[in-house]
Amino acid sequence: MTGIDDIDQRILTMLEADGRATLAQLAQETGLSVSAAQSRVQKLEKRGIIKGYKAIVDQEQRGLPISAFVNVTPLDYSAESSIPEKLKNIKGIVSCYSVAGAPSFVLVVRVASPGALEELLNLIHRTVPVSTETTMILQTYFAH
Amino acid sequence: MTGIDDIDQRILTMLEADGRATLAQLAQETGLSVSAAQSRVQKLEKRGIIKGYKAIVDQEQRGLPISAFVNVTPLDYSAESSIPEKLKNIKGIVSCYSVAGAPSFVLVVRVASPGALEELLNLIHRTVPVSTETTMILQTYFAH
DNA sequence: CATGAAAAAGCGGCCGC
DNA sequence: GCGGCCGCTTTTTCATG
């Protein structure tokens, strides 16, 4: 397993900023040839360092204006480890982190309406034995 | 301002799952021709509904293994509105949300080491008059 | 919105350095 | 590992009906 050198880092930074940057662009910025840039990108993909590419969508314009953090605390700690797996396929839950703090998990959720948020929280409670505390997100200033 | 119909929604979903999906793929899945798919994608980009494309990078393998939530509370609320702008260009701050809760803002940060986290927090305190509370992220189970 | 043709980008392989 | 080449395929782009 070879390390990640500075050129790889620059390629990663460029592709994070623009996932559709062409090999020619990457080559020019890094001073490499196109074929060298290509082989580096392919290696980064194969090693799983580049996990994929995605479009960044304005969720508000799309019709999902409400987002929130949901702090999740298990009622039964023996079931704690199975919680993320059970939450994974619930629509509206964008991400799930385990944290070193009072709640065991922090979720980011996104829904269309206050009513949909209530339904989502109810669904979470029916799915896993937890208590939740919700903090509404008022504005996303940036999310690189 | 035209609305977003079901076909647009499907295009957005596909491009969120794979930001490098080709127009031919989008056309096939939606039943459109390539040129129709192209014009829809272009409109979505022009309207800012597709804000861009980015590579998904495994930050741990990249050498940034530590991430955390940082709750930010202004010491001087008269300066509150200028805080996100000042934090925007600090390296290591991944995202910034304003929230309806005890802290005014929640940051997500990512750094290479505990020492780098300390430096980042010090830099935040030197940049804006706030108190912070940091919650380490132990694991990211998923982040769609 | 569909068709089709030109231009650009990507892919894989090769070789010499 | 890099550079530069090749031919080939896929994708994008744009003019046109």
Side-chain angles (χ1 to χ4, degrees):
Chain A
M1 187 186 289
T2 319
I4 303 176
D5 64 14
D6 284 352
I7 295 181
D8 286 332
Q9 291 284 3
R10 276 202 281 167
I11 289 174
L12 291 173
T13 300
M14 286 186 71
L15 286 175
E16 278 187 318
D18 177 10
R20 295 210 151 175
T22 66
L23 296 174
Q25 288 175 294
L26 297 175
Q28 183 169 14
E29 290 289 322
T30 55
L32 296 175
S33 68
V34 171
S35 63
Q38 182 185 25
S39 91
R40 280 177 179 265
V41 170
Q42 287 175 344
K43 279 176 191 164
L44 290 168
E45 289 171 346
K46 274 190 182 143
R47 290 162 67 187
I49 296 169
I50 296 175
K51 292 190 284 189
Y53 302 87
K54 63 187 296 186
I56 308 306
V57 175
D58 184 327
Q59 301 294 347
E60 290 196 22
Q61 284 194 66
R62 192 188 183 168
L64 296 173
I66 294 180
S67 50
F69 291 107
V70 178
N71 292 339
V72 171
T73 305
L75 297 177
D76 171 11
Y77 278 88
S78 68
E80 187 177 7
S81 61
S82 66
I83 290 176
E85 190 59 37
K86 290 176 178 167
L87 296 178
K88 190 167 193 171
N89 297 317
I90 295 181
K91 191 180 147 194
I93 302 181
V94 176
S95 45
C96 175
Y97 306 91
S98 69
V99 297
S104 291
F105 304 100
V106 175
L107 312 179
V108 178
V109 302
R110 183 168 280 280
V111 293
S113 66
L117 178 58
E118 186 183 11
E119 282 178 31
L120 175 57
L121 293 170
N122 286 338
L123 177 54
I124 290 172
H125 289 129
R126 288 198 305 273
T127 305
V128 288
V130 296
S131 69
T132 60
E133 185 193 24
T134 300
T135 302
M136 302 293 297
I137 296 176
L138 302 175
Q139 188 170 348
T140 299
Y141 283 96
F142 55 88
H144 296 160
Chain B
M1 188 186 294
T2 318
I4 303 176
D5 64 14
D6 285 352
I7 295 181
D8 286 332
Q9 292 285 3
R10 276 201 281 167
I11 289 174
L12 292 173
T13 300
M14 287 185 69
L15 287 175
E16 277 187 320
D18 176 11
R20 293 209 154 175
T22 66
L23 296 174
Q25 287 175 293
L26 298 175
Q28 184 168 13
E29 290 286 324
T30 55
L32 297 173
S33 69
V34 171
S35 67
Q38 181 187 29
S39 93
R40 279 177 182 266
V41 170
Q42 286 175 344
K43 279 176 191 164
L44 289 168
E45 289 170 345
K46 272 192 184 143
R47 290 162 70 188
I49 296 169
I50 295 174
K51 293 191 283 189
Y53 302 86
K54 63 188 295 186
I56 308 306
V57 174
D58 185 326
Q59 300 295 345
E60 291 195 21
Q61 284 194 65
R62 191 190 185 166
L64 297 173
I66 294 179
S67 50
F69 292 107
V70 178
N71 292 339
V72 171
T73 305
L75 298 176
D76 172 9
Y77 280 89
S78 68
E80 187 178 8
S81 62
S82 67
I83 289 176
E85 189 59 38
K86 290 176 178 166
L87 297 178
K88 191 167 194 171
N89 297 317
I90 295 181
K91 190 180 149 192
I93 302 181
V94 176
S95 45
C96 174
Y97 306 92
S98 69
V99 297
S104 291
F105 304 100
V106 174
L107 312 180
V108 177
V109 303
R110 182 169 280 280
V111 294
S113 67
L117 179 58
E118 185 182 13
E119 283 177 30
L120 174 56
L121 292 170
N122 287 339
L123 178 54
I124 290 172
H125 289 130
R126 287 198 305 273
T127 305
V128 288
V130 296
S131 68
T132 60
E133 186 193 25
T134 300
T135 302
M136 301 293 296
I137 296 175
L138 302 175
Q139 189 169 350
T140 300
Y141 282 95
F142 55 89
H144 296 158

